[in-house]
Amino acid sequence: MARKLLKAYVSKNQLMFGEKTMRKTKSIALGIALAVGTFTASGAMAATTLENVKEKGHLQCGVTTGLPGFSQPDEKGNWTGIDVDTCRAVAAAIFGDASAVEFTPLTAKERFTALQSGEIDMLSRNTTWTLTRDASLGLNFAGVNYYDGQGFLINKDIGVDDALQLDGASICIQAGTTTELNLSDYFRAKGMEFKPIVFDTSEQTVQGFSAGRCDVLTSDRSQLAALRSKLSDPSAAKILPNTISKEPLGPVVRQGDDQWFNIVKWVLSVQINAEELGVTSANADDMLKSDNPNIQRLLGTDGDMGAKLGLPDDFGHKVVKLVGNYGEMYDRNVGPDTPLGLDRGINALWTDGGIMYAPPVR
Amino acid sequence: MGNPMTEQTQTSNATPSEQDNTGKKSDIIRVEGMHKWYGDFHVLKDLNLTVAQGERIVICGPSGSGKSTFIRCINRLEEHQQGKIIVDDVELTDDVRQIDTVRREVGMVFQHFNLFPHLTVLENCCLSPIWVRKIPRKEAEATAMEYLERVKIPDQALKYPGQLSGGQQQRVAIARALCMKPKIMLFDEPTSALDPEMIKEVLDVMIELAGSGMTMLCVTHEMGFAKTVADRVIFMDGGEIVEEAPPHEFFTNPREARTQKFLQQILAH
Amino acid sequence: MAESTMKPPKKALSPVKWMREHLFSTWYNALLTLAVGYLLVTSVGPLLNWLLFEANFQGQDASDCTGAGACWLFISQRLNFFIYGFYPDELQWRVDAMFLLLAIAFVPQFIERFPGRKWLGIFGMTGLPIIGYFLIPGGTFGLEVVESTKWGGLMLTLILAYIGILASLPIGILLALGRRSEMPIIRGLSVVFIEVWRAVPLITVLFMASVMLPLFLPEGVNFEKLARALIGITLWQSAYMAEVIRGGLQAIPRGQYEAADALGLGYWRKMGLVILPQALKMVIPGIVNTFISLFKDTTLVLIIGLFDVLGTVQSTVTDPAWQNVAIEGYVFVAFCFWVFCFGISRYSQNLERKLDTGHKT
C-alpha cells in the first residue's frame, strides 16, 4: 500500500511541479509515503473494487463540473451526457439498475487524485488517453467512448478555409489546457506564428471571440459547435475541417484491480458490439430470442460471459436495455439532434467508415 | 517572626481593631526585603513594611519614587523578584491560586477608576461578588446598593460609567471594591485624575471608610488627608522607604533631608 | 445643570434652494450634476428594460425567450437546482425547514422590540446548527440518508458560510487569546498557526484539502470532501478572525485588565466578562467584514468541484440548449449574495447601536 501511495504522490508531483523538481520531491515523498505506509499497513486489506461497490450499493463516478454533451446537470439536477451514460452502463451491469450511481463533480486538477485515493470508483470525465497518464499515474484507460480532436472556429470575415492559412492569426484559448500545448505544437511544426489571447473559462473565451478580440477560437471539436451556438450571430462563424490533435476520451480506473478494469472495458465494448449487431434498448427483450450466437453471447442467453467478469450473465442485456447501445448513447447526448449537433464522423462504427471498433464478446 | 526585622515594625501604632485570638493575625501585611526590577532598572530596593489590621497608611513621595509600583505589588498586579510579601497569611508567589486568594481579600482603587464601561454601575459592583464569591444575584445587588448608598450615589445605579462625572466614577470604583468585602483597601492616587471640585467628594468617602476600621494603604499627594486619617506616613524616594513616621511627627519634624525637601515643595504653594 | 428649553434654529430649505445649495453651488458642481444626471437617464432606462420590462418570465424552454430583455425563464426553470443542488426532491422539505428556522431566528433581529428576539438569536447560534446537523444529512431518527455529495446550490453556500462563521469565531477568540498569552508555548503555537494560515490563499487551502490530503490518508479512509473543505475554510477563517479580535484586545486599556485582576476574577472570567465583551464590541465592523468576505469566499469551493450556488449556475450556463444565459445566471448569483451580505451588514449595524454604552455626558 505504501508503494501505491508513493506512486500516486510522486506522479502527482510530476504533474504539478514538472520534471526538474522531481528528484527533491521524490525523496520527500518517499519519507512521507513510508511514514503513511507504515502507519496504515495494518489497516484493512483493501477488498476488490467490485466488492466495495456492491457493498456500498452504488457506483461512485467522477465527472466534470459541467461540460455540455459529456456531463452536465439538467434542469432537475440530473446528470446527463455521454460520460454519464458510460457510468450508468457500468451500474446497470453490476446492479441491473442504471440509477445506482452517484456522481462526483471534479475539476481537471482533482480528477486523478480522486481516483487514486479511492474517492471515486471510476473516472468518466472527458479525459484524453495519453502515454504519460496511462503509464505513470497509476491509472488504466478502459477504452474510448469518444474520439475527439482539436479544431478551429473562425470568423467568416477573415476568409480562411484551411488551418494552414492561419499564419499570424490571433487565437482565443482557454488557459491551462492541453489545447494550448497542441496549438503551439501545431504552429511550430508548420512554421507558422500566432498571437495567443488567453482566457480563464470557456465562457470568457467565447465572449472574447464574440467581441472580436481574436479571429480564431480553438477548442476540442466536440465543444466547438456548442460554443458557436452561443455566439450572438452563429452564422458569421464557421468550423474549419482541420483536426490538429488526437484526443481519445474514455473511462479511467485505478491500476492494480484487473477485474474492475475488465468490467469497465467490457461494458463499453458490449455497447459498441450491440450497435454493430443491431441490438437497441427498444429491441433488447425481443433479441433475447435471437438465434444469432453473437447476440446470444452478448445478451447472456448463451455462455457464461458475465461470470468471467464477476458479473451476472445477463449484464449485457441489462446494459443495452437500460442505457442503450453506443449509437443510442451518442445520438442522445451529442448527436445531430442535440444542441451540440455532432455528426458521427470518426466515431461511427468501423463498418460505417468510422474507427469505433470493439473486440468480440466470446 | 524569625527574620531580623527592622525597628520600624516595632514603631507601628497600636491596632485600633480587636486583636485576633491567635495574635499573629494582627499583622495583615508583611513585606520583607522586597526588590523589584523592570528589566535592568532597579525600581524597588529592599522594602520592609508591616501593616497591622485596621491600620491606615499613607505613602507619598515624588513621582517615579516607586510608590505606586509598591502597592501594586501587594495584590500582585506587579511581580516582585526578591523578598517576601505575605498578605493575610498567604505568601504571594507564582501560584495563581494564592494570588487569587489574596486578590479576593484586597480591594483596589485606581487613579483612572477603571470601571467596566460595558456594564452599569450596579453590574460593575455585582460582577465579582457573583462570579468570584458565588453570592446569589439578589443578595449581591442588595449589598451593592448598600455600598452605593454609602458612597452617596444610589440613584446612579442603573447608569453606565460613561454617563457619570469623574468624582462619581471614583466613588463607584470604591463601592465596587468594597462589595467584595475586602480586608484591605489599596488606593493608587485616587484623586490625581480628578478636577479639583470633585476631589473632596472622594476624600470624604475615604475618610468615612477610614473611620470604619478598614485597613488602608493610600498612595496620595493629599497631605490634608494624610494628616487627618493616617496612622503612619511613609515617604519613598528612588525606590526606597526613606522615612516612616506618625503624621504629626512626619509633617512637623521630618528627620531625613529628602523628606524635608519634598515637604517644602509640596506645601509651598 | 438646568435644562435649557431653547432649541437650535431649524434649517429648512425649499426644494429649489436645496438643489441650488447641494447640486448647483458652483459651475463645476453644476457640470458634474448634469453629467451624472445624463448618465443615469441613459443607463437606468435600458437596464430596467433588460431586467424587467422586456424580460421573459414565462414559458417552458429556451424558445420562449423571445423578448430583447433578460431570460429569467432560465433561472426559474432551474431554481430548484440552484437552491438545493442534487438534494432529492421528495426530501427537500428538510432543507425548507432549515430555511424557515433560519428566517425565524434571524429576521426578527431586524425588528426592534420583537418579543424574545434575543432568545431567537441564541437559538440561531446553538439549536439551529444542531437541528441542521441531524436534519440535512439524515441517517438518524428514521430520516433517509442524503450524502453530502448531493448537497448543492444556495443551500450549500449557506451551510459553508454558516458553519465557517460559527466555528471560526470561538476558535479565533482562543487563538487571539493564545497569541497574547504569557505562556511561551501557547503563544508560539498560536502565532505559528495564525501566520501560516493567514499567509496561504484560501484557494490553496481548499486545493490541498481536496487534492493532497486524500493521498496521505490510508486507502478506504475517505472523509468527505465537504468536511475537508469545511475544516479548511474554518481554520483559515479563524486565523483571520484571531487577528481582528487581537486588534480589539489590544485596544482595551491596561486598566481594564488590572481592575479585573484586582477584583480576583481570574483569567477566564476576566476575559469572558470584562475584556472580550468590550473587545468584540469594538471590532464588530471588522468581524462582520471578515464574515462577509468569508461568505463570498465560499464560492471558491467551485475549484474543488463542490457546487455552491455559483457552481450550480456556472455548470449550467454552458448548456447549449439555451443561448447566452450567462449574464442572467451571474446576475442571479450576485443578487443572492447581495441579499445575504447586505443582511449581515445591516444586522451588525443594529448590533453596534444596541451595544453602544459609551455615552458621553
Side-chain angles (χ1 to χ4, degrees):
Chain A
M1 195 182 298
R3 198 182 305 142
K4 195 180 266 173
L5 271 160
L6 171 65
K7 198 163 195 176
Y9 184 82
V10 169
S11 48
K12 187 74 219 167
N13 277 292
Q14 220 159 359
L15 274 187
M16 292 200 340
F17 310 123
E19 305 296 334
K20 273 183 193 165
T21 54
M22 262 307 290
R23 195 168 298 163
K24 198 172 157 200
T25 44
K26 206 166 196 166
S27 59
I28 297 171
L30 183 70
I32 295 170
L34 281 178
V36 175
T38 44
F39 177 69
T40 58
S42 56
M45 255 331 278
T48 67
T49 312
L50 181 62
E51 284 165 15
N52 280 336
V53 169
K54 278 182 174 166
E55 199 191 339
K56 269 189 296 187
H58 68 260
L59 173 74
Q60 196 74 40
C61 184
V63 292
T64 68
T65 52
L67 184 68
F70 288 83
S71 44
Q72 188 170 41
D74 68 2
E75 281 88 348
K76 307 208 168 44
N78 297 316
W79 286 95
T80 58
I82 194 166
D83 282 348
V84 168
D85 281 350
T86 303
C87 293
R88 292 197 192 281
V90 174
I94 299 169
F95 299 106
D97 177 3
S99 65
V101 51
E102 297 202 345
F103 297 96
T104 305
L106 296 167
T107 62
K109 295 180 188 96
E110 286 181 305
R111 52 184 162 183
F112 300 120
T113 326
L115 188 60
Q116 288 154 350
S117 69
E119 192 177 330
I120 54 173
D121 304 311
M122 67 181 277
L123 179 72
S124 182
R125 197 208 167 278
N126 202 248
T127 304
T128 306
W129 184 352
T130 66
L131 185 146
T132 312
R133 286 174 176 173
D134 207 351
S136 66
L137 293 186
L139 309 172
N140 275 332
F141 282 79
V144 176
N145 66 353
Y146 190 92
Y147 290 99
D148 209 342
Q150 191 172 338
F152 297 103
L153 180 71
I154 60 150
N155 189 333
K156 273 183 185 166
D157 293 345
I158 65 170
V160 167
D161 303 313
D162 192 282
L164 291 173
Q165 298 168 290
L166 287 176
D167 196 8
S170 52
I171 302 181
C172 288
I173 334 164
Q174 193 183 329
T177 57
T178 48
T179 328
E180 216 175 339
L181 304 174
N182 291 333
L183 187 68
S184 36
D185 282 356
Y186 178 78
F187 273 72
R188 198 178 328 134
K190 304 282 181 211
M192 304 194 294
E193 294 202 342
F194 71 102
K195 199 173 127 221
I197 297 171
V198 182
F199 294 91
D200 216 31
T201 65
S202 71
E203 195 67 35
Q204 288 170 347
T205 317
V206 179
Q207 295 295 338
F209 180 74
S210 197
R213 298 275 306 275
C214 49
D215 308 317
V216 183
L217 185 157
T218 182
S219 177
D220 283 348
R221 295 187 71 87
S222 62
Q223 296 304 313
L224 283 180
L227 294 178
R228 179 168 173 262
S229 74
K230 289 267 171 189
L231 298 173
S232 40
D233 180 13
S235 61
K238 72 171 179 183
I239 297 171
L240 291 180
N242 312 61
T243 302
I244 65 164
S245 72
K246 291 196 286 187
E247 311 278 349
L249 311 174
V252 194
V253 295
R254 260 188 306 282
Q255 205 166 294
D257 185 344
D258 290 347
Q259 181 197 32
W260 184 247
F261 175 51
N262 285 334
I263 289 172
V264 175
K265 179 166 57 185
W266 281 97
V267 167
L268 183 58
S269 299
V270 158
Q271 287 184 289
I272 297 168
N273 279 313
E275 186 184 10
E276 200 178 319
L277 295 167
V279 185
T280 65
S281 54
N283 68 11
D285 287 341
D286 297 336
M287 285 293 187
L288 288 173
K289 298 179 213 98
S290 166
D291 43 19
N292 180 337
N294 284 322
I295 294 178
Q296 286 177 342
R297 281 194 294 272
L298 184 82
L299 298 182
T301 45
D302 180 36
D304 56 350
M305 297 301 153
K308 287 171 179 152
L309 292 169
L311 293 175
D313 281 331
D314 67 343
F315 83 95
H317 173 248
K318 285 287 190 319
V319 168
V320 179
K321 181 161 168 51
L322 297 173
V323 181
N325 65 33
Y326 178 78
E328 288 176 274
M329 194 163 83
Y330 185 98
D331 290 341
R332 187 188 314 142
N333 295 304
V334 297
D337 296 334
T338 67
L340 282 178
L342 299 171
D343 291 327
R344 278 296 283 269
I346 54 169
N347 286 298
L349 292 178
W350 62 289
T351 47
D352 296 336
I355 57 170
M356 198 49 85
Y357 182 101
V361 178
R362 64 180 311 137
Chain B
M1 276 177 252
N3 274 33
M5 290 299 301
T6 53
E7 321 76 341
Q8 289 155 355
T9 331
Q10 274 71 41
T11 64
S12 71
N13 284 14
T15 53
S17 61
E18 301 84 349
Q19 292 262 338
D20 219 82
N21 297 342
T22 54
K24 77 173 187 195
K25 264 225 166 152
S26 59
D27 288 338
I28 200 161
I29 302 175
R30 274 194 290 144
V31 179
E32 296 169 10
M34 191 261 271
H35 289 261
K36 174 168 180 61
W37 287 265
Y38 282 130
D40 284 337
F41 178 55
H42 201 169
V43 248
L44 297 179
K45 298 164 190 161
D46 189 31
L47 299 189
N48 291 287
L49 176 71
T50 307
V51 180
Q53 197 153 24
E55 215 181 349
R56 292 152 306 219
I57 291 179
V58 166
I59 303 173
C60 60
S63 63
S65 59
K67 53 196 192 304
S68 281
T69 311
F70 178 34
I71 70 162
R72 287 156 62 86
C73 282
I74 290 171
N75 67 349
R76 193 73 173 190
L77 287 183
E78 304 278 355
E79 192 185 339
H80 63 282
Q81 280 94 19
Q82 203 180 311
K84 266 189 182 175
I85 300 177
I86 298 165
V87 180
D88 197 23
D89 283 342
V90 179
E91 181 170 359
L92 282 170
T93 57
D94 285 334
D95 189 332
V96 181
R97 271 168 307 171
Q98 307 240 34
I99 295 171
D100 281 343
T101 315
V102 167
R103 283 175 179 167
R104 245 173 272 171
E105 305 304 335
V106 180
M108 182 149 193
V109 177
F110 299 86
Q111 181 178 1
H112 294 287
F113 334 133
N114 296 344
L115 293 177
F116 304 135
H118 62 300
L119 300 176
T120 62
V121 165
L122 189 61
E123 285 166 343
N124 262 284
C125 293
C126 294
L127 188 73
S128 208
I130 291 174
W131 287 92
V132 179
R133 289 237 189 268
K134 313 281 181 205
I135 292 167
R137 176 173 293 272
K138 277 239 174 74
E139 203 179 306
E141 281 179 359
T143 316
M145 285 311 292
E146 237 170 73
Y147 282 110
L148 286 174
E149 245 158 78
R150 219 168 127 190
V151 300
K152 304 186 186 67
I153 38 171
D155 46 328
Q156 313 282 6
L158 298 180
K159 287 195 179 165
Y160 286 95
Q163 296 165 293
L164 305 183
S165 73
Q168 288 172 321
Q169 289 196 44
Q170 193 60 297
R171 283 185 282 153
V172 172
I174 295 172
R176 177 176 71 179
L178 290 174
C179 281
M180 281 294 279
K181 308 237 166 111
K183 292 183 180 156
I184 302 164
M185 285 285 282
L186 307 176
F187 291 84
D188 185 6
E189 307 204 26
T191 53
S192 336
L194 294 176
D195 293 336
E197 76 270 20
M198 292 171 183
I199 292 179
K200 186 176 177 299
E201 62 188 60
V202 172
L203 286 181
D204 284 348
V205 168
M206 288 169 66
I207 291 167
E208 197 256 5
L209 185 64
S212 72
M214 172 69 72
T215 311
M216 289 165 74
L217 254 77
C218 306
V219 172
T220 183
H221 294 294
E222 298 298 329
M223 291 303 133
F225 174 77
K227 277 176 193 160
T228 8
V229 174
D231 296 315
R232 257 192 293 165
V233 180
I234 290 173
F235 174 68
M236 286 181 69
D237 190 21
E240 295 167 314
I241 293 181
V242 175
E243 183 158 357
E244 183 180 358
H248 71 272
E249 198 183 317
F250 181 85
F251 287 110
T252 53
N253 190 17
R255 282 176 310 214
E256 303 285 329
R258 278 191 281 182
T259 321
Q260 290 163 6
K261 195 173 157 224
F262 173 74
L263 284 174
Q264 269 166 17
Q265 280 170 344
I266 204 164
L267 300 173
H269 54 85
Chain C
M1 238 183 287
E3 289 277 313
S4 165
T5 49
M6 234 174 108
K7 293 256 151 56
K10 275 227 172 76
K11 208 177 172 191
L13 288 175
S14 72
V16 175
K17 259 189 168 169
W18 184 90
M19 277 170 68
R20 185 171 301 156
E21 192 164 303
H22 291 95
L23 300 178
F24 299 97
S25 55
T26 58
W27 67 268
Y28 51 85
N29 263 352
L31 214 63
L32 269 176
T33 304
L34 288 176
V36 170
Y38 174 76
L39 271 178
L40 280 178
V41 169
T42 49
S43 61
V44 169
L47 185 67
L48 285 179
N49 272 346
W50 184 82
L51 279 174
L52 297 171
F53 303 125
E54 291 173 12
N56 303 280
F57 293 96
Q58 289 184 342
Q60 290 303 315
D61 56 44
S63 59
D64 291 315
C65 276
T66 48
C71 180
W72 296 123
L73 194 53
F74 171 74
I75 305 295
S76 57
Q77 287 276 312
R78 284 153 196 262
L79 199 57
N80 195 280
F81 181 54
F82 294 161
I83 291 179
Y84 304 100
F86 305 102
Y87 213 87
D89 284 352
E90 66 279 8
L91 300 176
Q92 281 171 8
W93 63 267
R94 296 197 214 157
V95 185
D96 292 334
M98 290 309 293
F99 281 138
L100 189 69
L101 287 175
L102 194 69
I104 289 175
F106 290 106
V107 171
Q109 307 301 326
F110 297 95
I111 306 163
E112 298 284 341
R113 288 184 223 303
F114 190 94
R117 66 175 192 161
K118 184 176 149 198
W119 295 107
L120 285 175
I122 292 174
F123 164 76
M125 310 276 181
T126 54
L128 189 70
I130 295 173
I131 296 174
Y133 178 79
F134 289 108
L135 199 56
I136 299 285
T140 42
F141 304 116
L143 292 168
E144 197 181 317
V145 176
V146 181
E147 276 156 34
S148 67
T149 47
K150 291 191 172 169
W151 310 357
L154 187 61
M155 160 199 156
L156 183 67
T157 300
L158 288 177
I159 289 176
L160 287 168
Y162 200 79
I163 297 181
I165 287 172
L166 215 60
S168 66
L169 189 59
I171 300 177
I173 289 175
L174 288 179
L175 284 171
L177 293 179
R179 190 167 190 168
R180 286 174 60 80
S181 163
E182 281 163 12
M183 287 175 267
I185 295 178
I186 291 184
R187 189 175 55 231
L189 287 177
S190 304
V191 169
V192 168
F193 182 95
I194 291 170
E195 294 304 333
V196 166
W197 284 92
R198 219 160 52 115
V200 181
L202 180 57
I203 207 158
T204 323
V205 173
L206 290 173
F207 192 71
M208 290 296 249
S210 107
V211 177
M212 300 302 283
L213 194 62
L215 291 177
F216 300 130
L217 293 173
E219 215 164 334
V221 177
N222 267 316
F223 76 105
E224 288 163 9
K225 188 150 86 173
L226 180 65
R228 297 198 302 258
L230 257 177
I231 292 171
I233 289 177
T234 304
L235 294 181
W236 182 81
Q237 178 70 6
S238 46
Y240 272 87
M241 197 55 75
E243 285 302 277
V244 173
I245 293 168
R246 186 168 69 105
L249 290 177
Q250 268 166 346
I252 303 295
R254 218 167 70 122
Q256 293 289 314
Y257 291 89
E258 290 178 350
D261 281 337
L263 285 170
L265 284 174
Y267 182 79
W268 292 106
R269 283 184 289 231
K270 169 175 73 178
M271 287 301 169
L273 297 170
V274 177
I275 305 301
L276 281 173
Q278 297 184 61
L280 291 179
K281 191 172 79 186
M282 202 175 295
V283 293
I284 285 177
I287 292 179
V288 171
N289 219 0
T290 33
F291 281 172
I292 289 179
S293 66
L294 170 69
F295 196 91
K296 292 186 288 187
D297 281 341
T298 56
T299 51
L300 290 175
V301 298
L302 192 67
I303 63 129
I304 57 169
L306 288 176
F307 278 21
D308 72 326
V309 65
L310 180 62
T312 51
V313 169
Q314 216 162 29
S315 72
T316 50
V317 288
T318 49
D319 188 341
W322 296 76
Q323 319 284 310
N324 293 320
V325 283
I327 299 176
E328 286 86 341
Y330 291 125
V331 167
F332 169 74
V333 174
F335 179 73
C336 288
F337 276 94
W338 180 80
V339 166
F340 284 97
C341 292
F342 184 68
I344 296 175
S345 156
R346 295 301 301 187
Y347 176 55
S348 84
Q349 285 174 19
N350 254 344
L351 205 62
E352 261 178 88
R353 255 201 312 276
K354 205 176 77 184
L355 295 178
D356 183 24
T357 56
H359 316 274
K360 295 284 167 288
T361 33

